Amino acid sequence: MAVVGLSGRLARCYCLRAVRSSLRVPALQLHVSKTAMGASQKDFESAVNQVKLLKKDPGNEVKLKLYALYKQATEGPCNTPKPGLFDLINKAKWDAWNALGDLPKETARQNYVDLVSGLRSSSDSSSQVKPEADKKQAGYETLVITSEDHITKIMLNRPAKKNALNTQMYQEIMLALEAASKDDSTITVFTGSGDYYSSGNDLTNFTDIPPGGVEEKAKNGAILLRDFVDCFIDFPKPLVAVVNGPAVGISVTVLGLFDLVYASDRATFHTPFSHLGQTPEGCSSYTFPKIMGLAKAVEMLIFGKKLTAGEAYAQGLVTEVFPDSTFEKEVWTRLKAYSKLPRNAMRISKQIIRNHEKEKLHAINAEESSILQERWLSDECVNAVMNFLSQKAKL
Ligand SMILES: CCCCC/C=C/C(=O)SCCNC(=O)CCNC(=O)[C@H](O)C(C)(C)COP(=O)(O)OP(=O)(O)OC[C@H]1O[C@@H](n2cnc3c(N)ncnc32)[C@H](O)[C@@H]1OP(=O)(O)O
């Protein structure tokens, strides 16, 4: 029977990944924030000096993070041969640096500065109160959330996995949106850490099969998807996407529910649903034709055409495109100015603009989720996911 076959194949995928992860040092997840404007060389040098003055030893894990970020900030991606298996210290350092992948030098420099600043404040914390402007919200593992200048920034933070959304990240984003809807910020911003905005749904989500088998997995996935997208439909404040790099799948489709989409000219927009045996979600089956017209929506959603930032702008999915070299500076200057506008007026305006369609969007979300629940059990989808996972398995 088909389902038994699918279940067996997914189980084999799962084993493959289990073996693979047992062979590898886990990638370091850096829970450090990147402030809006980026750190200067002077900030970086000052942070390097401050490390020497830390009162408390930060421990080996943090020292490895510092080492990796320093190397990435000064030399770029790891460029030395991997040390031998028994050269434990150098191997750990190499692994930490290598785990940063293609993280841009400026981001590494900023993350280094933020990490040192966090270490300094925790070592001085006995007597000091953190300034309001630099509060990083604790308790999130896949996100870095900061509040500054009346802006809550939600940064997807799995750069080694191109910010793929795993189950934990979906759940944390829902919590973060709930919190941001109630905090005193005027606008909420999504962005990505590292070179990607997001590579979409984490395809390894499909490998973790519960006792109820693949049907239960598909059912849970559909519930998660529906709840996740509902949070975007209902979000009451202006929602902004700062698309710092390529975006794939669900990270593209939900953009139709954002109020502003700013993109670096490095960003691309790709929804390869048919290639994955899947179908559109995030209400894109409705929002995309409405935004860009049926012909262009079909090209993206059925044929998987990848758009450049310029094309996405021409088709109305993106509000404005900025050169990558000045992207962060220009966007954050703009957003800081917007964040000073009266909060209630912005919120009410959003309600007036969006409320007509809310009910319809919820119905579309429910329908898309239920269709995907079926799709996830199809041979087409299982084969496509297995294909990706086996290509990535470095056994
Ligand atoms: C429950 C709700 C479900 C909602 C339905 C959502 C649907 C979607 O979002 S469909 C879109 C799914 N995403 C994809 O199909 C993208 C898959 N990834 C890729 O095609 C590529 O990785 C890439 C083009 C995004 C980047 O390629 P490249 O620059 O060559 O980098 P790597 O492939 O080496 O990636 C680095 C690292 O990251 C892992 N990774 C990247 N994307 C994903 C992903 N979507 N899921 C899981 N893992 C991903 C990749 O495996 C590499 O990991 P390591 O091998 O461990 O270094």
Side-chain angles (χ1 to χ4, degrees), residues 20 160-161 196 199 201-203 250 281 388 392 394:
R20 182 183 162 207
K161 298 288 177 187
Y196 259 65
S199 61
N201 189 36
D202 188 317
L203 296 174
I250 191 163
E281 26 62 359
F388 173 81
K392 296 287 163 193
K394 296 163 192 148

Side-chain angles (χ1 to χ4, degrees), residues 17 20 24 102 158-162 164-165 170 195-196 198-206 220-222 224-225 248-251 270 272-273 276 278-279 281 306 372 376 388-389 392-394:
R17 293 208 51 97
R20 182 183 162 207
R24 299 180 62 217
D102 289 323
R158 299 181 71 219
K161 298 288 177 187
K162 311 286 183 196
L165 285 100
Y170 285 112
D195 60 342
Y196 259 65
S198 168
S199 61
N201 189 36
D202 188 317
L203 296 174
T204 68
N205 286 344
F206 289 103
N220 293 343
L224 180 65
L225 173 62
V248 187
I250 191 163
S251 73
H270 192 199
F273 297 128
L276 292 166
Q278 297 185 34
T279 45
E281 26 62 359
K306 189 197 286 189
L372 262 176
W376 288 327
F388 173 81
L389 296 178
K392 296 287 163 193
K394 296 163 192 148

Side-chain angles (χ1 to χ4, degrees), residues 95-310:
D95 280 329
W97 183 13
N98 191 46
L100 295 183
D102 289 323
L103 189 75
K105 276 185 171 181
E106 310 79 68
T107 313
R109 194 166 67 184
Q110 178 66 59
N111 287 355
Y112 184 96
V113 169
D114 287 347
L115 181 54
V116 173
S117 139
L119 290 172
R120 284 186 59 216
S121 53
S122 71
S123 95
D124 299 336
S125 62
S126 41
S127 55
Q128 285 182 6
V129 180
K130 266 197 195 172
E132 190 65 27
D134 210 17
K135 270 192 181 155
K136 193 170 82 185
Q137 293 176 23
Y140 294 93
E141 284 187 24
T142 64
L143 307 174
V144 173
I145 301 180
T146 46
S147 287
E148 198 178 346
D149 296 319
H150 301 293
I151 300 174
T152 291
K153 180 171 76 163
I154 300 174
M155 184 165 72
L156 311 176
N157 192 40
R158 299 181 71 219
K161 298 288 177 187
K162 311 286 183 196
N163 299 322
L165 285 100
N166 60 8
T167 304
Q168 184 178 4
M169 196 189 274
Y170 285 112
Q171 280 158 350
E172 289 190 356
I173 289 173
M174 290 192 274
L175 287 174
L177 283 173
E178 170 73 13
S181 73
K182 294 184 186 137
D183 70 16
D184 63 1
S185 63
T186 50
I187 58 183
T188 302
V189 177
F190 270 82
T191 193
S193 149
D195 60 342
Y196 259 65
Y197 177 66
S198 168
S199 61
N201 189 36
D202 188 317
L203 296 174
T204 68
N205 286 344
F206 289 103
T207 60
D208 180 17
I209 307 297
V214 286
E215 286 89 353
E216 187 186 331
K217 179 80 202 168
K219 189 169 161 217
N220 293 343
I223 293 169
L224 180 65
L225 173 62
R226 185 175 169 175
D227 289 349
F228 178 75
V229 176
D230 275 348
C231 290
F232 286 87
I233 298 172
D234 290 330
F235 193 71
K237 299 178 182 178
L239 193 57
V240 181
V242 172
V243 186
N244 54 300
V248 187
I250 191 163
S251 73
V252 176
T253 55
V254 291
L255 292 177
L257 303 170
F258 278 65
D259 302 301
L260 284 175
V261 180
Y262 290 145
S264 147
D265 58 10
R266 261 189 355 94
T268 52
F269 299 83
H270 192 199
T271 49
F273 297 128
S274 300
H275 301 72
L276 292 166
Q278 297 185 34
T279 45
E281 26 62 359
C283 295
S284 59
S285 62
Y286 175 72
T287 56
F288 278 27
K290 200 168 170 219
I291 291 169
M292 58 186 79
L294 192 60
K296 293 297 181 187
V298 162
E299 230 182 347
M300 275 192 89
L301 296 175
I302 302 186
F303 295 106
K305 182 179 179 196
K306 189 197 286 189
L307 302 190
T308 62

Side-chain angles (χ1 to χ4, degrees), residues 323-358:
D324 193 55
S325 54
T326 55
F327 179 58
E328 296 277 325
K329 190 162 183 253
E330 289 194 59
V331 162
W332 288 102
T333 305
R334 180 90 58 93
L335 291 176
K336 279 182 184 178
Y338 286 169
S339 71
K340 295 191 177 77
L341 292 169
R343 190 161 69 138
N344 291 335
M346 287 204 284
R347 198 180 170 114
I348 295 166
S349 295
K350 172 160 179 169
Q351 263 175 31
I352 300 171
I353 295 166
R354 298 267 176 191
N355 271 6
H356 312 285
E357 298 223 298
K358 255 194 186 175

